[in-house]
Amino acid sequence: MNKLLRPLLGLLLIAGLSGCAQQAERETSRYYLLSSDSPGYSKSTSGPVIGIQPVRVAAYINTPGIALLTREQHIRIANNHLWAERPELAITRVLHNELDRNLAQYQLVNGEFGQQRQWDYSLTTQIDQFHGTEAGEAVISGYWTLQKGDTAISQQRFNLHKPLPEAGYAALVQSLRHLLADLAHQQAATLTQLTP
């Protein structure tokens, strides 16, 4: 009887290891980069200087996992679909690049590098929501403030939504990136109206 059990146990062991390997393959982490799609361009170095402050984000956004809002209004953070870098840094970089492209007549300075006394204006952005939904949308909301010195010239609230073109985290990341471009376009339009 022992001779019969050994081959059966061997087959069970192989089947079990095969199942573990398939499970490990399904749970492989994927990393997503929130990149700017801005094409190359040239700019004049004259014009007002606008300092772009580092974007502040809600705590749940600045986690390694990509966030999804469930139908029950719970935030679920992905375990295997992760940001390649801290979201607050990536969002700041994308907004800066998009604004720089949209505001050819201005000099934009990344606020992470200081030099505030040389700024004519400063732009601060706070992002409260930056996630996907189970209903298949990308969502960005928050507010931004344009200041001249210590005086707020404009304060704007934004709430942007975009349906995902297809299911999946790659489509979500691409849609969030497009929403950041939309936000930069809105900011640029207001900045152009309010500043000389």
Side-chain angles (χ1 to χ4, degrees):
M1 186 139 134
N2 203 5
K3 290 181 182 181
L4 291 174
L5 284 177
R6 278 192 179 158
L8 183 59
L9 287 175
L11 285 173
L12 287 173
L13 180 63
I14 290 171
L17 289 176
S18 174
C20 288
Q22 288 177 351
Q23 181 72 14
E25 186 176 307
R26 282 193 298 263
E27 293 182 9
T28 300
S29 293
R30 299 189 193 288
Y31 293 88
Y32 299 87
L33 187 61
L34 191 62
S35 59
S36 178
D37 294 337
S38 292
Y41 55 90
S42 62
K43 286 185 68 151
S44 163
T45 56
S46 62
V49 177
I50 300 175
I52 308 299
Q53 295 283 8
V55 175
R56 294 187 310 258
V57 300
Y60 85 90
I61 297 168
N62 221 26
T63 59
I66 297 174
L68 185 72
L69 182 67
T70 68
R71 285 175 171 54
E72 295 81 27
Q73 301 300 303
H74 298 274
I75 290 290
R76 187 174 70 221
I77 305 296
N79 292 323
N80 297 307
H81 297 276
L82 309 169
W83 293 113
E85 62 182 320
R86 282 192 2 232
E88 68 183 347
L89 298 176
I91 292 167
T92 298
R93 186 186 64 254
V94 170
L95 270 180
H96 181 271
N97 289 345
E98 291 296 323
L99 282 165
D100 201 35
R101 184 174 59 86
N102 283 298
L103 295 167
Q105 68 276 26
Y106 296 88
Q107 298 177 64
L108 270 69
V109 177
N110 187 330
E112 290 181 306
F113 304 119
Q115 325 254 333
Q116 292 184 10
R117 66 179 180 272
Q118 299 173 358
W119 298 352
D120 297 308
Y121 302 93
S122 67
L123 179 66
T124 304
T125 304
Q126 168 72 39
I127 298 198
D128 301 326
Q129 294 185 60
F130 190 80
H131 57 256
T133 68
E134 283 185 343
E137 282 190 319
V139 176
I140 298 179
S141 72
Y143 60 91
W144 59 270
T145 304
L146 177 66
Q147 289 184 251
K148 183 169 179 66
D150 292 332
T151 305
I153 297 173
S154 180
Q155 293 181 316
Q156 306 274 332
R157 184 118 187 98
F158 59 90
N159 191 4
L160 306 172
H161 298 257
K162 182 177 183 64
L164 301 183
E166 60 189 26
Y169 283 94
L172 171 58
V173 169
Q174 189 63 21
S175 293
L176 288 169
R177 193 247 156 286
H178 286 297
L179 287 175
L180 284 173
D182 292 346
L183 173 59
H185 184 72
Q186 289 177 9
Q187 290 175 323
T190 302
L191 289 166
T192 302
Q193 291 173 0
L194 295 175
T195 59

